[in-house]
Amino acid sequence: MTDLSAFPITARWPAAHPDRIQLYSLPTPNGVKASIMLEETGLPYEVHLVDFAQDDQKSDAFVSLNPNGKIPAMIDPDGPGGAPIGLFESGAILLYLAEKTGRFLGEGSMDRWRAIQWVMFQMGGVGPMFGQLGFFNKFAGKDWEDKRPRDRYVAEAKRLLGVMDGVLGGKTWFLGEAYSIADVSMIGWVNNLITFYEAREIVGFDDYPNVAAWLERGLARPAVQRGLKIPARG
């Protein structure tokens, strides 16, 4: 049997199937990147709910795997050279799983780098900016009298959507006809923007028809539908 005892997190969240990938997550826009990718690849995995309401992500056990205290994080018992590896940061997890399976990186080195650049675009732009907009549009920030912070993130969200809309013109996915980690990285964030964050009107989402059509295609994928609900909230 695979021994994962070197990872302290497994004492808090024991592995029923230590020979499988262990995913520690919550169905947030970052968390579902990992669950969607695992569902798309078909790799066997075991999921553990990290409950924000209980501050699980700040626990010593979780921080032992991700010192940044953010989800998702994972352990692959069959890492490089067959040794277990622990990973955090959703973008790194996407790249790792794509290279492990040889899938969702397009065809050849050119596509690989094109996919990676869009993942970096999501990590550096879409995620942080959409997340800040969500705070100012739906959560505590909505009550602030000064609307300049909100408007700053609205403007940046619109700019990013414009970039995406222009690139997606005449394309099925960000790499053209090849679905990739570029798409996986962004589906949850764009979906969250217009649903959970309730920002469809404020960003004028319907002004970006190529993004809307791309999102519809993404949400129609069975693996995406499953991944968006993993792990199930208690």
Side-chain angles (χ1 to χ4, degrees):
M1 178 178 290
T2 305
D3 182 8
L4 298 180
S5 61
F7 296 91
I9 195 170
T10 60
R12 168 65 177 79
W13 288 277
H17 304 281
D19 58 326
R20 301 178 185 178
I21 288 173
Q22 303 294 306
L23 175 65
Y24 308 89
S25 193
L26 191 71
T28 67
N30 280 332
V32 300
K33 292 183 211 172
S35 53
I36 289 172
M37 188 63 171
L38 285 164
E39 289 293 318
E40 292 280 13
T41 61
L43 288 167
Y45 71 101
E46 181 178 354
V47 65
H48 306 277
L49 177 70
V50 179
D51 190 349
F52 286 3
Q54 302 297 322
D55 282 340
D56 282 348
Q57 76 280 15
K58 299 178 183 178
S59 67
D60 290 344
F62 187 81
V63 172
S64 71
L65 182 58
N66 182 358
N68 195 35
K70 303 288 184 181
I71 59 96
M74 77 173 207
I75 300 170
D76 183 2
D78 183 26
I85 183 173
L87 289 170
F88 63 90
E89 282 296 332
S90 55
I93 289 172
L94 285 181
L95 286 165
Y96 175 81
L97 293 174
E99 294 202 346
K100 179 181 177 73
T101 60
R103 301 181 64 191
F104 305 115
L105 277 172
E107 299 292 333
S109 181
M110 188 77 73
D111 273 0
R112 177 178 181 274
W113 283 109
R114 289 171 59 220
I116 290 172
Q117 74 180 356
W118 283 112
V119 172
M120 298 302 106
F121 170 85
Q122 183 279 307
M123 298 290 290
V126 169
M129 297 300 105
F130 286 14
Q132 293 292 343
L133 174 53
F135 171 81
F136 285 102
N137 191 56
K138 180 172 181 175
F139 297 107
K142 72 181 187 303
D143 298 323
W144 293 11
E145 183 177 351
D146 186 350
K147 298 305 179 186
R148 286 175 296 179
R150 183 204 64 182
D151 292 346
R152 169 183 172 85
Y153 293 114
V154 168
E156 184 61 6
K158 287 182 174 182
R159 188 190 72 80
L160 292 167
L161 287 167
V163 172
M164 296 164 69
D165 202 67
V167 169
L168 287 166
K171 292 182 181 179
T172 303
W173 308 108
F174 275 89
L175 294 190
E177 293 305 308
Y179 177 78
S180 73
I181 57 172
D183 305 288
V184 174
S185 74
M186 286 189 260
I187 287 172
W189 275 107
V190 177
N191 185 55
N192 218 58
L193 179 70
I194 62 173
T195 56
F196 185 69
Y197 288 158
E198 301 172 356
R200 186 182 195 108
E201 289 189 15
I202 200 171
V203 300
F205 186 74
D206 294 330
D207 295 333
Y208 308 98
N210 297 326
V211 175
W214 162 85
L215 179 62
E216 183 177 359
R217 288 189 291 271
L219 293 176
R221 295 179 69 89
V224 171
Q225 294 171 17
R226 295 191 300 271
L228 287 172
K229 301 174 183 177
I230 297 173
R233 295 176 184 265

